[in-house]
Amino acid sequence: MTDTFARTDAERERLALIGGMADSFKPLAQAVDQEGGFAFESAERLRASGYTTWAVPREYGGEGMTVYEMVLYQERIATGDPALALAIGWHVSTVAELAAKKSWDEDKLAPFLRAVAEGKLMNRAATEKGTGSPSRGGKMQTTAERRGEGYVVRGRKTFTSLAPVLDLVVVNTTLIEGDTEEAADFLIPMDTPGVSVDPVWNMMGMRGTGSHDLVLDDVVLPAEALVYRASAGKRGGQANPHLLHVPACYLGAALAAREEALAFAASYQPNSLDRPILHLPHIGTLIGEIDLELAAARHFMYSVAARWEHPVADEAGGIAELGAVKVFAVRTALSVADKALRIAGAHGLAQSHPLQRLFRDIRFGLSNPPMEDAVLRLYHQRAIQETALP
């Protein structure tokens, strides 16, 4: 689809820069998927372009990228390499969230943001095999305990995207001090002794995210590594509009699936036909349905992203709406990928064809937060409140 949601000359200029890189990522994305590796060259190009610094506020050396811009660029990256887009999306979204919510004290937030502005890559390590999705509220099994003036951290984190190239990681832990326990976060450089990556990532989809296990084996940290503790009560509001990078990724993958389907339909001509299958009525119906679904999902996503450039008065309603964007985007992307494969038929299922990879990558969206059942439950609760007797 040739329509763009860029609103200003600056956004269009940046989108053109991102688009040129995204298009060049496609061959490596295919090879990485088959090998189960990581797109080091593509990730380095994003870093070298300065994109990984854009989420940092201007006063700390970045570009102050808005939620809307993030969605715009992340969707475009995903048209070239959805796995890299999802992985780098955790970096830019987490940086933007930390800068916006200011849950860390300034003496810890400022040097962190300046490090990112200088090119450091980071992610949050929250998920654990024994606790499941952090959004479900499970207690962290990774622990931090006092040792002298500092702390010792032990544990294993799963789904640590960008693991092969991370410089910094924010680790969610259970902080144990005497008889008390509380949630706490530590900022840990990846070259700290005791920190290692176990390359276990071997999934059906999103194979190129490098989401390996992070192993923390008696990691000794100074006191200043503790950047947040629950008792400080400064986590900020629940709403996190920066998670819109997730639906942006999957709609970008759906756009790529559409492009592959169109290219196939325009070039494939069985000897029983006098022109390519693009002109067949049932193929036209599938293309029309794809474009209709994508138009609705993309307009919804961008309209919500635009609203979150400023504080949303009804935060409870805003949280539900943010979740709805993700659910609707993934449902749309799944439908688009299915229809794209119907157009390409068995040709699209060849291991060498990008469509089967895009189909598998999009399926992974069901496992990214916010979870569909949680979003539907929010709407259910709102409906109950709406109909409650006075």
Side-chain angles (χ1 to χ4, degrees):
M1 301 177 80
T2 57
D3 52 318
T4 173
F5 285 83
R7 305 163 299 181
T8 66
D9 288 343
E11 288 177 358
R12 281 185 280 273
E13 183 178 341
R14 287 180 175 179
L15 187 62
L17 170 66
I18 295 296
M21 287 190 290
D23 290 341
S24 72
F25 292 164
K26 292 180 181 181
L28 186 54
Q30 187 72 9
V32 163
D33 176 80
Q34 292 177 347
E35 298 165 3
F38 184 79
F40 288 96
E41 294 175 23
S42 302
E44 183 54 36
R45 285 194 63 191
L46 283 175
R47 191 204 300 249
S49 73
Y51 176 69
T52 60
T53 74
W54 291 0
V56 177
R58 293 183 184 278
E59 59 266 33
Y60 299 101
E63 296 293 333
M65 180 169 64
T66 66
V67 171
Y68 190 97
E69 289 181 278
M70 178 195 71
V71 168
L72 189 68
Y73 309 139
Q74 285 295 131
E75 182 190 54
R76 187 65 178 91
I77 294 170
T79 64
D81 187 343
L84 180 61
L86 185 62
I88 211 72
W90 291 116
H91 164 86
V92 296
S93 66
T94 303
V95 169
E97 179 195 6
L98 290 171
K101 291 188 175 181
K102 297 186 181 300
S103 55
W104 299 2
D105 290 337
E106 180 65 14
D107 63 340
K108 295 176 180 178
L109 180 64
F112 162 73
L113 291 175
R114 292 193 182 102
V116 175
E118 292 170 359
K120 300 293 186 184
L121 291 178
M122 66 82 58
N123 196 2
R124 185 186 292 277
T127 309
E128 297 176 351
K129 186 175 182 180
T131 60
S133 171
S135 64
R136 303 292 189 185
K139 176 184 174 182
M140 294 296 160
Q141 295 179 321
T142 297
T143 61
E145 297 183 68
R146 272 281 187 183
R147 177 181 289 183
E149 296 299 315
Y151 300 90
V152 177
V153 175
R154 303 181 182 91
R156 176 183 283 257
K157 296 293 187 176
T158 57
F159 299 102
T160 312
S161 298
L162 286 179
V165 292
L166 286 177
D167 300 299
L168 302 166
V169 63
V170 177
V171 177
N172 298 154
T173 72
T174 295
L175 176 60
I176 302 171
E177 292 186 307
D179 296 330
T180 65
E181 295 184 357
E182 65 175 312
D185 298 345
F186 288 81
L187 178 62
I188 306 177
M190 289 292 289
D191 59 1
T192 304
V195 176
S196 63
V197 172
D198 188 3
V200 297
W201 186 249
N202 188 23
M203 293 290 187
M204 181 186 79
M206 289 296 179
R207 291 172 56 76
T209 58
S211 302
H212 301 301
D213 283 8
L214 179 72
V215 181
L216 304 155
D217 185 11
D218 288 335
V219 179
V220 179
L221 301 172
E224 56 267 25
L226 175 60
V227 290
Y228 169 82
R229 57 194 304 165
S231 58
K234 297 191 299 180
R235 182 67 87 181
Q238 288 184 311
N240 181 11
H242 301 98
L243 280 178
L244 287 174
H245 84 91
V246 175
C249 174
Y250 290 104
L251 287 180
L255 287 168
R258 174 192 183 273
E259 181 181 334
E260 292 292 342
L262 283 180
F264 178 84
S267 62
Y268 183 61
Q269 182 178 336
N271 60 16
S272 58
L273 298 176
D274 60 358
R275 52 184 175 173
I277 64 170
L278 176 66
H279 302 279
L280 295 176
H282 75 281
I283 298 296
T285 297
L286 287 170
I287 293 171
E289 290 176 348
I290 285 173
D291 284 359
L292 185 65
E293 292 172 10
L294 280 172
R298 295 181 77 211
H299 276 280
F300 182 29
M301 178 176 69
Y302 280 103
S303 67
V304 172
R307 279 181 9 99
W308 278 94
E309 288 193 314
H310 308 284
V312 174
D314 177 16
E315 183 164 291
I319 292 173
E321 187 177 56
L322 289 169
V325 172
K326 185 264 179 176
V327 170
F328 192 57
V330 172
R331 287 183 176 184
T332 298
L334 287 167
S335 176
V336 167
D338 178 76
K339 290 180 175 65
L341 277 174
R342 290 174 186 269
I343 290 171
H347 300 276
L349 295 175
Q351 290 286 1
S352 59
H353 202 287
L355 265 179
Q356 53 80 27
R357 168 175 56 86
L358 293 167
F359 182 85
R360 290 184 284 105
D361 282 352
I362 288 170
R363 183 71 187 178
F364 209 88
L366 294 172
S367 301
N368 289 134
M371 300 303 178
E372 183 169 306
D373 66 303
V375 174
L376 297 178
R377 186 164 60 250
L378 277 177
Y379 276 96
H380 181 205
Q381 291 168 349
R382 292 181 70 197
I384 291 173
Q385 294 170 1
E386 180 183 331
T387 57
L389 294 174

